[in-house]
Each structure stands twice: as C-alpha cells, then as structure tokens.
Amino acid sequence: MLGAIDLNLLRIFDAVMTERNVTRAAVLLHMTQPAVSNAINRLRLTLQDPLFVKVPGGVLPTQRAELLWPPIRDALARIADTLKHNEFDPARSEAVFRLAMSDYVADQVIRPLFVEQQQVAPNIRIHLHPYSLDNAGILLEKGEVDMAAGVYSNFGSSLRTLPLETLTYVCAMRKGHPLLAQPRLTLDSFLRARHLMVSLLGSVALIDHELAAHGHRRNVVLTINQFALAPRLLAETDLICVVPANTVRNSPYSHLLEAVQAPFPFAHRTVNLVWHERSDNLPAHRWLREEILKVCKAQGMVFEQAPPPESHAY
C-alpha cells in the first residue's frame, strides 16, 4: 500500500484535516484549490474511502480519515523536524499552533504573547480550540491541538507539563454589596448568598466538590462558561462569585468590584501547560513553550509552590 501512495498527498491530506476547508488548505500549502482537490481525489482512489464530505463552510472528515490523521500528522511532524536539523527561525516561520485553553488563560497568556510576537514572529498563526478538563488530554493524544493550558492534575504517561501559575481564589462582588456591611464574611452568609458559577462545561465546578466534601452547598443561581463575563455580571447584580484573583484584578470592571477572602479554605491550584511527548523536540513547539513562559514571568505569573490554605473557623 505504501508504495502506491505519493507521500506528498499525505501532506495535503494533513492540511485539509487541519483547516477543514479545501480553499484554506490550498492557501496554507501555497497551492491552487483545484490542485488540492485533485490530490485528495487521488488519495480517495488509493485508500478507497471518500475521506471528506462537503458541508456548509468546508468539509467534514469521514471516520477513516479521523483514524488515519493522528499517525500521519505525527509522522509528518517527525520528518519535518529531521529535515530542519532542529532549526527554527521565528522571523520567517509560518507555523500554525493550535491551543486549547479557557478564556481566563488566553487573556493571561495569548493576548500579551501575540501582541509581543507581532514583530518577532509576524507570520505565525495561533488557533484557540474549545477546552475542558475532560477533553484536553484526548485532543492532545489525537493531535488535534498542539498544547493545552489549564488546571490539570491527572496526566497520562505520554503528556508533558510545565507549571505556569498558582491560582488563589477570592470571593468577588460589587462595591456596596450588602455582604460587605458585615465585619467578616461568614460561611453561613457565603453559602446562602446568590452565587454566579463559572464552568466551562456547565457542570459542577471544582470548588463545589471541595464544599461538598465538607457537607456544604452554595446557592448557585447563574452558571456561565466565560471568566471574562463574570466581572460585569457581578458589577451589575448582587451575585457573588469565587474566581481566581486575576479575574478581578485585570478586568475593566475592577474599580466597581471588591475581592474578599472566602470563608472556606479553597485549595490553591496550578495552571499547567500540557503537550504530547511527540512534540517535545519540535523546534517550533519548544520556541512557543519558552515564549509562553517568558510572558508568564513578565506578568509575575510564574509558578511558585503555594502555601497551604489558611485555616478558617466554621
């Protein structure tokens, strides 16, 4: 079978799988759209599978195409790495990076990274993919994203990690909120208040599992899947919300908000950058990981071993 395949067709197949659009794949490959379509047709005949079906806005891979892509993408990456002799020139590179992360991490990392790299690496492209703690490992294993960043704790043996930031949590609410009239926010008042919850999948948040382990349950009345939306909602309502401190500190609504210590010892968590071992030695990926770490250091985000949570009487 291998002898019957023009290996250049696999590079074209990888581009179409990446873009899910023949025209965009042609631009990526510096080819014409008919040439890409012709190459895919040749590969269809060889593999005896449609590979792609047309859908509005592009193409959808068949089940066999989905199964073929990860090993093909891995092999192409290894070949490219070998041919480049471990050289990477960000000024000339047209690398495409696919990252999975929440809007919180994107705001802390990708926004300053991309702004700073416009002069150093003007032709790189970054695509952000939908993210959750549940699917990030699968996306990395299948090669659908190059890196992920989030609060991960269970890593597969094939994944590599780099700690980026220690998260500390605060209880945020609008200035003038009735709870601020108390000398100290009590656990009972905290649990009975109307809570805003940020959950990327709409499921129970990690902090709720912590509360439940101690027999507590907070009164969640609104759930959203974006950290960026939380400060505005808090500024305009009497909701309260437990969020990472930087969610308030870096928000344009920070002047309208108060962040106080929650009356419960929520555990400190670490935001990790995660990638598959197969990309450990890819020069472009090593460069991006180093640049992300530089951005985190510049913002004072770099991981430090967090102190144990303070004890509270409750």
Side-chain angles (χ1 to χ4, degrees), residues 23-291:
T23 301
R24 290 199 299 269
V27 172
L28 183 67
L29 294 164
H30 303 288
M31 296 173 63
T32 64
Q33 188 270 342
V36 172
S37 295
N38 181 59
I40 293 301
N41 285 332
R42 289 171 56 196
L43 195 58
R44 282 170 170 151
L45 291 174
T46 301
L47 300 177
Q48 298 183 345
D49 187 86
L51 297 179
F52 301 97
V53 294
K54 290 183 178 179
V55 295
V59 294
L60 185 67
T62 64
Q63 184 176 12
R64 190 176 185 200
E66 292 280 14
L67 292 173
L68 288 171
W69 190 34
I72 289 175
R73 184 179 175 87
D74 187 22
L76 291 173
R78 292 177 183 273
I79 291 171
D81 185 35
T82 301
L83 295 178
K84 287 179 181 177
H85 301 290
N86 289 328
E87 296 178 357
F88 177 72
D89 182 0
R92 300 179 61 184
S93 175
E94 297 182 356
V96 179
F97 299 104
R98 290 163 182 81
L99 312 177
M101 57 184 60
S102 68
D103 65 315
Y104 169 82
V105 181
D107 184 58
Q108 302 294 309
V109 176
I110 297 304
R111 180 184 52 80
L113 172 72
F114 198 78
V115 170
E116 292 181 14
Q117 295 306 320
Q118 287 184 102
Q119 301 299 322
V120 177
N123 298 314
I124 68 166
R125 292 190 289 172
I126 296 175
H127 294 178
L128 295 186
H129 283 241
Y131 151 96
S132 78
L133 293 177
D134 296 328
N135 70 5
I138 297 173
L139 294 175
L140 289 165
E141 291 284 354
K142 293 174 67 176
E144 294 183 14
V145 298
D146 301 310
M147 301 174 203
V151 182
Y152 301 98
S153 57
N154 297 317
F155 307 110
S157 60
S158 61
L159 300 182
R160 302 291 179 263
T161 65
L162 175 68
L164 296 180
E165 178 186 12
T166 301
L167 295 180
T168 54
Y169 293 87
V170 297
C171 182
M173 64 193 78
R174 68 172 177 84
K175 289 186 175 180
H177 194 289
L179 286 179
L180 295 174
Q182 300 179 6
R184 180 176 177 271
L185 180 60
T186 65
L187 180 62
D188 184 58
S189 296
F190 171 82
L191 295 174
R192 287 190 290 105
R194 292 165 57 83
H195 282 254
L196 170 67
M197 178 174 74
V198 182
S199 171
L200 299 178
L201 290 179
S203 54
V204 176
L206 292 174
I207 63 172
D208 289 289
H209 288 296
E210 287 188 67
L211 288 168
H214 289 81
H216 304 309
R217 181 179 180 180
R218 59 178 177 157
N219 177 30
V220 176
V221 298
L222 178 61
T223 302
I224 59 175
N225 63 353
Q226 298 177 26
F227 284 93
L229 181 57
R232 180 174 180 177
L233 282 168
L234 295 175
E236 296 177 348
T237 68
D238 275 342
L239 297 175
I240 68 172
C241 186
V242 178
V243 289
N246 280 341
T247 300
V248 177
R249 187 179 300 122
N250 298 334
S251 168
Y253 298 93
S254 60
H255 64 290
L256 300 174
L257 301 175
E258 291 283 354
V260 301
Q261 182 176 332
F264 184 88
F266 291 113
H268 297 280
R269 293 185 173 85
T270 301
V271 174
N272 288 287
L273 184 66
V274 188
W275 64 94
H276 197 278
E277 63 180 0
R278 62 174 168 263
S279 63
D280 252 350
N281 295 317
L282 292 180
H285 289 224
R286 286 205 310 267
W287 171 82
L288 183 61
R289 294 196 297 266
E290 291 169 1
E291 293 303 307

